Amino acid sequence: MKFKFIPFIYFICVALSIQHLSAQKILNKIRVSVKDIETNQPIALAQVLLSSGKELGVTDAEGSIEIESMHEGKTYFVIFSYEYAILETQVEISSNNKEIIFKMTPLGEVLSEVELDNHKKEIFNLKRLKPVEGTAIYAGKKTEVVLVEQVIGGLATNNARQVMSQVVGMNIFDAGDGGLQLSVGGRGLDPNRTANFNTRQNGYDISADVLGYPESYYTPANEALSEIQVIRGAASLQYGTQFGGLINFKLKEPQINKEIELVSRNTVGSFGLYTNFTSVNGSIGKFSYYAYYNFKRGDGYRENSNFDSHNAFAHLEYRFNKKTKISFESTYLEYLAKQSGGLSDVQFLEDPRQSNRTRNWFAVNWNLLALKLEHKLTSKTELSLNVFGLNASRKAIGFIANYNFSEPNPFLDVDEQDNEGNFIHERDLLVGQFRNWGAEARLLTHYDINDRESVFLIGTKIYNANNTSQQGPGSKGTDADFNFYSDRYPEYPNQSSFNYPNFNTAVFGENIFNISDSFSITPGFRFEYIKTTSEGEYLDNTISEFVPDNRSFNRNIFLLGIGASYKPDNYFELYGNVSQNYRSVTFSDIRTTSPSFVVSEDITDEKGYTSDVGVRGKVGKNLSYDASVFGLLYLGKIGTNFTDRVGWERSNIGDAFIYGVESLFDFNLKNIFWENYKQIKNNVFINTAFTNSQYYKSELNGVEGKKVEFVPLVNLKTGTNFGYKNFMVGVQYTYLSEQYTDVTNAPYNPNNATSVEGAIPAYDILDLSFSYVYKKIRVETGVTNLLNNSYFTRRATGYPGPGIITSDPRGYYFTFEFKL
Amino acid sequence: MKHVIYTLVLVVFLVSCKTEGAMEDCTKDSFDRGALLTNWADNIIIPSYDLYVSELMDLEATSNAFIASPDIQKLETLRADWLAVYTTWQNVSIYEIGQAEISRLRDYTNTYPLEATLVESNISSGNYNLELSTNIAAQGLPALDYLLNGIAATDADIVVKYSSDPNATNYKAYLSDVVSRLKSMAISVQTDWKGTYRGIFIANDCSSSTASVDKLTNDMIFNLEKVTRAAKIGIPIDFFGQPPMIAPEKVEALYKQNVSKELLIASIKASQDLFNGKFFNTEEEGESLKSYLDELQIEAGGKLLSVVINDRYDAAIAQAETLDDDFYMGIQSDRTKYKITRDRIHSIIEVLKTNMISALGIKADYNDSDGD
């Protein structure tokens, strides 16, 4: 391969400067044709870009594309098509050339994995820093992208620690349930069910209820993903308003030049793990499809645990013409898991495998539909419309606590059996149903201000949810019986039934103003109207009667944000942004299920700001980096406090500040040690987040001045990947320093047998992965937690514990894949 | 631009250097919480358990003697031993921490009102497991109250239950089982305190929700609120009822009838003594919540907060002295003076639960039952 980076960058600089110098004269239509250098046949579906990353379009069946309003002068083009070497070339554009012809060189018969990886990475690097993609604006934001196909280990097991190893500062619950439940957080936000991120799949919401119940029970199989996109707090304007930002799971796209491609992967692993992933995709004329089925089962590492999951997904798309595309997606997930409960510190040290919950079950059913229309109104204006709906449920049954005691304590109470071995307590059953639909429309247009291109985005979203939750007595049995037995056990103390009608509309806009050739400012806004309602009743145990509890909160929220980007050349960018965020009050914040406390009349959304300032780019040809500092101001955290007037009251009680330095450095060692070996790939990455935090105000005693929970000071993930021809190996080391789990900063106490609170000790994990490809066959294998460290990442206050949720010890997996 | 990168690399480096120090062990203020915990453990809690266990052993001996040959005189001795245990229990009740918390010592020792029908059905069937929580209201000191005072109308008839009654063997067995369960639970807690737990308790001298000072202070307030105020007075007089539906059958020591006041006063005093760090059964005082507040010079309304608190304890005890020995009758004749006593106890709780814990940076315990 002739391709070298330095000259490439050099040319880009030259191209950029020349392009801008001669930016005065604008020409009309130019025809660009792309052909195979050997056969001279036209190449369809080749992507044509400017070196800035701006996409001009995709070639049609005749291998050509018409480009409007090109500037006169030297222009640097980049063209790629998956079966050809990337072509970068400089062209002199003048008023008398009407057509430019590019000739591409085929990549050759069979590429090794290393070559293919390098090729994909090159393409990705060309595209990644684009300020605009489709109908979304990324300028000035901290964005991170995981190229899932390049991840060596942890795909079949949905191991977020490995798959998201290059996303900075991720705090992950290593649950060891075959990746059924993704729980990631960062920057001091609770990882539980990824609730502090706006979680999307191919751009639409997948959580239970975006505002009132932002927990994500479903996330797609990693084996089906092409990218995981993460945009930090500044995503609040265009997406959800969560402090964490956006996580978007981008699934693989159908192959355009094949009618059918079948991939089947089977994985076996430690603790009875078996998974099958089968996908088909292809295109027939203007119609394309991608579908997968994923089965998982496992026994889990601990006693009393197992799971069985079925997940299916289909994506169908039809391209009417170059301008209009419609796609339809359907997702199904159903799983049943037996859960072993939590442990105390004493029990964990004694034997992390033990379990004292023998009849706790959890079931999820998730059905998502989405319809997306993408339409180019003109060459400068694009429109997209997403309509999506969810019909889902989550059901949890299990022994919670012993209500015969004066102070039932889920952590201390044992699940008692009588002399005949029958359980004497009815189990607690909690059923949530989620029915919601939403639509999001976006319009993005490019226009000029003083001959400089500006980009304007306007969008609107409407979201309507109708969810319910019911809690009450379940059976005394041991099976996964999700029926209520309220008639049989009317005295059961935890009984409630609520409806949560929720309505939300939003209008949002952003605009990129290019102040100079290298400096842009992107201000934005978001206006939301939210109506959060909770209607229902709960059993008041003091009078043994159901008491109604109806609440409705209407509010208008106006958020502002601004981003700036200084990008003097294509290998350096200084970016910064400040934006407002808020976390909507959730259903559980505003309803009461006990007469012993009240919800404050003026309880309101948790508000705050996030800001990033950072640099990203490349130093020489061997180091790429993204390093930034961030600050997150969290105002009005909701909590429950004792006040002398009313007793226990839930209200906005605390303010916190979380700040840190986050960086990802990637060194390409291949260029240093194996420069002349094109069959070798070798890189080292260091992903670090140093985060500190403080509650600087709190109405709770003993909290002011304490650190925020879930903030390890050091969060390090580092590793190296080495590839030779079709063989790849990856080593990854993860280290998180100690983190607190409660606002009073209860320290780690190995003698603790009575409390759910306590710090999570520092832990480190070493993972090793291999992959090898031979023709249509690929095998992947690996060892997770090679050091066999006994550790945990979570202390559950209630479900699915309570207590320490053990993470897995050393484990192995082996995947066999074939492609047809 | 290089400068920016160098600066960032430097920041990363500096922050990484700083991490060497890691997290501080815990948060503390100027007061020596270790000394407070040592005083609590060595001079108050462990001596309380020592006396409680030795009294339970006496009780077991008299109970065994009674079972061997029941008569009225032995019954009287047994009742006296039971009352001694019950009075000392009012101190022990507060320390629901460590093994006591794990084994639910308070619930199994003193849950009342007793389910007398459950006791009788256990006795007649002879098939019961006192370790199950379903039998929580059929054992402990209230069960002894019933077995020694309530199973028959006269002392002679009570003795008959244990001698010539067709079920006498079962009555004896139940009495023996209740006594030995009380004793074995107490001994296991006492043994734990004298073994490893004393050290663990004292070493946990930080300030957080799991720290010993925070937990025991919460226990003390909880005991005063739920055990003293609510169970002994508030519930029997139906304090919140509109209109009140008094429930005299819910008083403590219902069957003995004339010791409710004694037990109430013992309970308030136990709380006050713990607050003042007063050595168990002596007049000496050591480090305490009082000395903690005084060290931090906490005041309320121009007076030291500790003085305000002690004044309120004294007022509550003085009011309690005006009550009848027998609450069962007293509540029915004059509810108001019970209500006033309840309010006096509540006024102690108010100041403990707001002024005191906020001065000491102690978060009030709360079990959130929201689930997932």
Side-chain angles (χ1 to χ4, degrees):
Chain A
M1 243 195 236
K2 271 277 161 217
F3 181 65
K4 287 271 155 60
F5 219 86
I6 283 286
F8 170 63
I9 288 166
Y10 173 72
F11 276 121
I12 288 173
C13 303
V14 172
L16 280 169
S17 46
I18 292 171
Q19 190 190 340
H20 290 300
L21 279 173
S22 54
Q24 309 306 326
K25 198 166 179 188
I26 297 168
L27 297 167
N28 283 328
K29 291 180 183 173
I30 286 185
R31 190 170 186 78
V32 170
S33 297
V34 183
K35 293 180 175 174
D36 186 307
I37 201 164
E38 289 166 6
T39 62
N40 220 28
Q41 291 297 307
I43 300 169
L45 304 167
Q47 295 202 47
V48 182
L49 278 74
L50 289 180
S51 58
S52 64
K54 188 188 171 191
E55 198 171 329
L56 296 174
V58 179
T59 57
D60 59 17
E62 280 78 51
S64 58
I65 178 174
E66 244 171 32
I67 297 164
E68 289 176 63
S69 62
M70 288 296 298
H71 296 280
E72 196 170 64
K74 284 180 181 155
T75 302
Y76 203 88
F77 285 92
V78 180
I79 298 128
F80 65 86
S81 172
Y82 277 92
E83 285 160 7
Y84 293 86
I86 294 168
L87 179 72
E88 310 94 29
T89 182
Q90 184 186 319
V91 176
E92 178 82 38
I93 293 181
S94 68
S95 49
N96 46 23
N97 63 2
K98 296 277 186 254
E99 184 173 18
I100 313 168
I101 297 172
F102 294 114
K103 298 204 168 174
M104 300 185 79
T105 312
L107 278 175
E109 291 299 295
V110 184
L111 287 181
S112 73
E113 275 296 287
V114 162
E115 289 169 304
L116 215 60
D117 254 28
N118 285 334
H119 183 60
K120 284 176 184 164
K121 189 114 191 178
E122 279 166 21
I123 293 172
F124 171 71
N125 283 336
L126 289 170
K127 293 168 74 179
R128 73 175 298 176
L129 295 179
K130 276 198 299 189
V132 175
E133 191 171 316
T135 51
I137 287 179
Y138 299 132
K141 298 182 175 46
K142 183 171 174 79
T143 56
E144 291 158 278
V145 179
V146 179
L147 291 181
V148 180
E149 288 169 64
Q150 303 228 327
V151 172
I152 301 176
L155 288 178
T157 50
N158 264 14
N159 187 338
R161 179 178 72 238
Q162 291 177 282
V163 176
M164 298 177 88
S165 65
Q166 304 214 8
V167 180
V168 180
M170 280 283 150
N171 195 354
I172 300 165
F173 287 162
D174 289 337
D177 56 359
L180 284 182
Q181 174 63 57
L182 180 76
S183 288
V184 298
R187 299 181 167 182
L189 304 167
D190 189 346
N192 190 25
R193 298 199 193 284
T194 319
N196 281 297
F197 280 98
N198 178 270
T199 315
R200 297 184 175 211
Q201 162 179 292
N202 285 344
Y204 54 88
D205 293 302
I206 55 176
S207 61
D209 181 307
V210 178
L211 298 165
Y213 198 100
E215 278 83 350
S216 293
Y217 288 90
Y218 159 76
T219 49
N222 279 334
E223 289 166 299
L225 298 180
S226 70
E227 291 180 9
I228 301 172
Q229 303 168 327
V230 179
I231 307 175
R232 298 304 174 134
S236 61
L237 301 179
Q238 274 182 64
Y239 300 96
T241 56
Q242 277 88 343
F243 283 85
L246 170 81
I247 289 188
N248 182 33
F249 296 95
K250 202 172 156 192
L251 283 98
K252 288 182 177 164
E253 288 180 357
Q255 303 235 19
I256 293 190
N257 47 11
K258 259 187 183 172
E259 288 199 347
I260 183 161
E261 182 191 68
L262 184 135
V263 177
S264 184
R265 292 163 57 88
N266 286 285
T267 301
V268 288
S270 301
F271 320 119
L273 180 76
Y274 168 73
T275 78
N276 171 272
F277 174 86
T278 303
S279 71
V280 286
N281 80 90
S283 299
I284 302 154
K286 292 177 171 178
F287 169 77
S288 300
Y289 65 97
Y290 179 86
Y292 78 79
Y293 167 75
N294 184 209
F295 169 74
K296 280 182 190 169
R297 71 160 305 281
D299 298 327
Y301 158 59
R302 292 182 57 204
E303 289 162 19
N304 298 322
S305 67
N306 62 55
F307 57 88
D308 189 294
S309 148
H310 301 267
N311 172 210
F313 170 84
H315 165 97
L316 310 172
E317 66 176 61
Y318 187 80
R319 292 173 302 278
F320 292 94
N321 49 48
K322 276 189 287 182
K323 290 181 174 167
T324 310
K325 182 173 117 177
I326 191 160
S327 54
F328 169 78
E329 292 183 357
S330 172
T331 306
Y332 166 80
L333 169 72
E334 171 111 47
Y335 76 77
L336 176 67
K338 188 172 188 186
Q339 298 179 319
S340 45
L343 299 176
S344 71
D345 292 276
V346 172
Q347 291 166 333
F348 175 79
L349 293 172
E350 195 177 86
D351 175 12
R353 275 197 71 193
Q354 66 179 299
S355 155
N356 42 42
R357 292 288 187 273
T358 56
R359 48 190 193 126
N360 289 12
W361 297 89
F362 186 69
V364 165
N365 177 283
W366 221 252
N367 296 284
L368 276 161
L369 290 178
L371 188 71
K372 186 176 190 180
L373 174 73
E374 290 161 281
H375 180 62
K376 283 194 171 78
L377 293 168
T378 70
S379 65
K380 290 179 173 291
T381 306
E382 274 184 64
L383 178 76
S384 70
L385 174 68
N386 247 324
V387 183
F388 53 94
L390 170 75
N391 187 353
S393 69
R394 53 85 79 192
K395 297 172 182 174
I397 186 161
F399 171 73
I400 301 273
N402 186 340
Y403 299 100
N404 291 331
F405 293 130
S406 55
E407 284 183 283
N409 182 334
F411 194 65
L412 290 177
D413 298 349
V414 294
D415 195 1
E416 296 173 306
Q417 286 164 277
D418 65 17
N419 293 345
E420 283 75 48
N422 298 314
F423 287 95
I424 63 174
H425 301 286
E426 55 271 29
R427 289 176 290 175
D428 187 87
L429 176 60
L430 192 56
V431 174
Q433 302 268 0
F434 313 103
R435 281 176 215 94
N436 59 55
W437 63 268
E440 187 174 274
R442 290 162 173 260
L443 178 84
L444 184 129
T445 185
H446 298 254
Y447 66 102
D448 285 0
I449 299 178
N450 296 335
D451 277 348
R452 284 190 209 285
E453 188 181 63
S454 291
V455 182
F456 173 67
L457 163 77
I458 183 104
T460 181
K461 183 176 177 181
I462 181 165
Y463 189 80
N464 188 63
N466 200 348
N467 303 322
T468 62
S469 87
Q470 193 186 347
Q471 186 173 19
S475 78
K476 286 189 176 179
T478 57
D479 58 342
D481 174 358
F482 294 106
N483 294 307
F484 285 99
Y485 290 84
S486 311
D487 297 340
R488 201 177 294 177
Y489 312 113
E491 312 259 279
Y492 185 75
N494 283 344
Q495 297 194 51
S496 65
S497 175
F498 284 92
N499 288 329
Y500 305 116
N502 197 12
F503 181 73
N504 166 228
T505 55
V507 180
F508 53 92
E510 284 195 49
N511 197 101
I512 306 178
F513 293 104
N514 285 305
I515 307 297
S516 76
D517 294 340
S518 51
F519 182 60
S520 72
I521 289 183
T522 311
F525 76 95
R526 186 179 184 95
F527 172 78
E528 299 235 12
Y529 165 77
I530 308 173
K531 184 178 179 188
T532 311
T533 312
S534 162
E535 298 166 345
E537 55 176 21
Y538 66 91
L539 180 67
D540 180 342
N541 296 304
T542 57
I543 54 172
S544 298
E545 273 173 36
F546 279 88
V547 176
D549 182 60
N550 299 319
R551 284 155 209 280
S552 189
F553 286 81
N554 291 309
R555 63 264 189 219
N556 295 313
I557 291 173
F558 192 67
L559 302 181
L560 290 173
I562 189 162
S565 164
Y566 173 68
K567 197 175 174 186
D569 50 49
N570 213 17
Y571 55 93
F572 176 80
E573 184 183 5
L574 171 66
Y575 62 91
N577 58 68
V578 189
S579 65
Q580 287 175 283
N581 301 69
Y582 75 88
R583 174 189 162 278
S584 166
V585 290
T586 62
F587 301 130
S588 49
D589 288 333
I590 61 167
R591 69 149 199 226
T592 58
T593 52
S594 152
S596 63
F597 72 83
V598 299
V599 175
S600 162
E601 286 302 316
D602 50 5
I603 193 168
T604 183
D605 308 289
E606 301 171 337
K607 297 193 175 66
Y609 300 85
T610 49
S611 177
D612 302 288
V613 177
V615 288
R616 59 190 165 202
K618 273 189 177 296
V619 179
K621 57 182 177 179
N622 299 326
L623 168 66
S624 65
Y625 63 90
D626 184 344
S628 64
V629 292
F630 78 90
L632 194 162
L633 189 63
Y634 208 121
L635 304 171
K637 253 194 158 185
I638 291 173
T640 307
N641 192 19
F642 183 84
T643 68
D644 47 350
R645 277 167 292 107
V646 292
W648 292 103
E649 182 186 60
R650 187 185 287 143
S651 59
N652 302 84
I653 54 171
D655 297 341
F657 186 57
I658 304 158
Y659 55 99
V661 184
E662 299 176 331
S663 65
L664 174 67
F665 293 93
D666 191 297
F667 301 92
N668 188 347
L669 300 184
K670 188 225 166 193
N671 290 341
I672 298 169
F673 299 116
W674 293 282
E675 188 161 9
N676 297 320
Y677 299 86
K678 70 170 184 177
Q679 291 294 359
I680 284 180
K681 169 190 166 164
N682 187 197
N683 71 309
V684 170
F685 70 91
I686 304 171
N687 166 357
T688 48
F690 299 98
T691 313
N692 209 340
S693 62
Q694 197 185 40
Y695 282 102
Y696 63 88
K697 205 182 102 189
S698 177
E699 286 169 28
L700 287 178
N701 293 326
V703 174
E704 210 167 285
K706 297 284 172 79
K707 289 185 193 303
V708 176
E709 53 280 33
F710 313 114
V711 183
L713 184 60
V714 183
N715 185 335
L716 165 77
K717 293 189 187 71
T718 181
T720 180
N721 294 319
F722 181 86
Y724 177 68
K725 289 190 177 166
N726 288 312
F727 177 75
M728 302 267 201
V729 55
V731 184
Q732 180 187 324
Y733 178 77
T734 305
Y735 170 81
L736 269 82
S737 61
E738 190 181 39
Q739 51 185 310
Y740 294 121
T741 61
D742 80 315
V743 291
T744 68
N745 292 181
Y748 174 66
N749 175 6
N751 297 310
N752 169 40
T754 57
S755 171
V756 236
E757 282 111 19
I760 294 172
Y763 62 88
D764 64 332
I765 303 297
L766 190 66
D767 298 305
L768 192 60
S769 332
F770 305 91
S771 79
Y772 181 73
V773 177
Y774 178 75
K775 293 185 178 166
K776 301 276 183 197
I777 290 167
R778 165 194 281 267
V779 291
E780 291 168 16
T781 184
V783 189
T784 49
N785 191 1
L786 184 67
L787 304 173
N788 201 21
N789 286 340
S790 182
Y791 74 110
F792 60 94
T793 57
R794 180 177 190 190
R795 288 178 190 270
T797 50
Y799 168 91
I804 290 170
I805 306 297
T806 309
S807 296
D808 284 357
R810 188 187 296 139
Y812 309 87
Y813 66 90
F814 179 85
T815 302
F816 179 85
E817 171 190 313
F818 69 90
K819 219 179 246 193
L820 288 177
Chain B
M1 262 337 97
K2 288 252 161 76
H3 300 296
V4 180
I5 299 160
Y6 292 147
T7 314
L8 270 165
V9 170
L10 187 70
V11 170
V12 170
F13 179 73
L14 288 175
V15 177
S16 22
C17 294
K18 198 201 151 213
T19 63
E20 296 297 321
M23 280 182 183
E24 54 267 49
D25 281 347
C26 68
T27 332
K28 289 178 180 173
D29 50 32
S30 61
F31 184 78
D32 183 356
R33 285 184 164 212
L36 169 64
L37 293 170
T38 308
N39 186 43
W40 277 353
D42 293 347
N43 300 322
I44 301 175
I45 300 173
I46 294 173
S48 303
Y49 275 107
D50 285 347
L51 181 64
Y52 180 62
V53 167
S54 80
E55 286 173 343
L56 275 170
M57 285 170 148
D58 294 347
L59 178 74
E60 190 182 43
T62 47
S63 151
N64 287 342
F66 175 73
I67 289 166
S69 61
D71 62 35
I72 291 178
Q73 196 194 338
K74 291 197 193 89
L75 179 63
E76 285 296 347
T77 320
L78 190 47
R79 282 171 176 163
D81 285 353
W82 164 80
L83 184 59
V85 168
Y86 217 155
T87 310
T88 306
W89 164 254
Q90 303 302 328
N91 293 68
V92 173
S93 172
I94 301 172
Y95 322 128
E96 192 83 343
I97 193 168
Q99 189 55 40
E101 186 182 8
I102 295 170
S103 64
R104 302 280 187 171
L105 183 66
R106 180 164 58 213
D107 280 348
Y108 282 109
T109 303
N110 193 22
T111 294
Y112 60 91
L114 182 85
E115 284 184 42
T117 49
L118 183 57
V119 173
E120 288 293 352
S121 77
N122 282 344
I123 290 170
S124 61
S125 74
N127 179 21
Y128 49 85
N129 177 358
L130 294 180
E131 293 187 9
L132 285 183
S133 64
T134 39
N135 277 323
I136 219 164
Q139 60 182 299
L141 297 166
L144 287 184
D145 180 27
Y146 176 70
L147 292 171
L148 305 184
N149 305 299
I151 51 172
T154 66
D155 288 0
D157 289 345
I158 291 171
V159 172
V160 165
K161 287 275 184 185
Y162 296 94
S163 45
S164 52
D165 189 275
N167 247 339
T169 318
N170 286 9
Y171 275 102
K172 288 187 210 170
Y174 205 75
L175 174 62
S176 168
D177 287 345
V178 169
V179 170
S180 67
R181 176 150 169 80
L182 277 168
K183 191 193 82 174
S184 65
M185 286 188 77
I187 286 176
S188 86
V189 179
Q190 181 202 33
T191 310
D192 192 42
W193 269 103
K194 293 190 153 182
T196 53
Y197 191 66
R198 177 192 173 273
I200 292 168
F201 176 79
I202 291 171
N204 192 359
D205 60 352
C206 304
S207 164
S208 82
S209 62
T210 57
S212 297
V213 171
D214 300 57
K215 285 196 77 168
L216 199 75
T217 305
N218 269 297
D219 286 346
M220 179 185 122
I221 298 170
F222 182 92
N223 195 75
L224 191 61
E225 184 171 340
K226 305 285 184 195
V227 178
T228 311
R229 187 197 76 192
K232 293 183 201 293
I233 311 176
I235 293 169
I237 67 166
D238 192 23
F239 178 77
F240 289 103
Q242 293 287 355
M245 311 272 286
I246 58 163
E249 72 283 0
K250 292 184 178 172
V251 300
E252 191 174 28
L254 169 70
Y255 303 98
K256 183 76 175 80
Q257 295 215 338
N258 58 358
V259 298
S260 304
K261 179 168 95 175
E262 201 178 327
L263 296 176
L264 169 70
I265 291 169
S267 179
I268 306 172
K269 278 195 170 145
S271 182
Q272 184 175 20
D273 288 351
L274 181 65
F275 173 76
N276 289 324
K278 189 163 145 312
F279 295 6
F280 183 68
N281 273 352
T282 74
E283 291 306 314
E284 202 177 335
E285 286 184 6
E287 292 294 356
S288 63
L289 291 170
K290 180 177 78 174
S291 64
Y292 197 165
L293 289 170
D294 291 349
E295 161 114 6
L296 301 176
Q297 296 177 319
I298 307 299
E299 296 189 357
K303 280 200 255 183
L304 278 176
L305 181 61
S306 64
V307 173
V308 173
I309 292 170
N310 268 314
D311 287 350
R312 294 193 180 190
Y313 271 116
D314 294 342
I317 292 167
Q319 178 63 31
E321 298 282 5
T322 70
L323 302 176
D324 314 86
D325 289 341
D326 178 359
F327 284 8
Y328 180 78
M329 298 305 290
I331 287 166
Q332 297 178 65
S333 63
D334 182 5
R335 178 176 176 270
T336 311
K337 61 185 179 189
Y338 289 86
K339 190 173 169 293
I340 294 168
T341 312
R342 184 259 171 217
D343 289 340
R344 292 274 154 83
I345 299 169
H346 180 69
S347 78
I348 314 168
I349 294 161
E350 267 181 341
V351 71
L352 294 179
K353 212 165 175 178
T354 52
N355 303 43
M356 183 181 80
I357 67 171
S358 105
L360 304 183
I362 294 171
K363 182 169 163 275
D365 267 347
Y366 186 65
N367 282 332
D368 199 329
S369 58
D370 269 356
D372 187 22

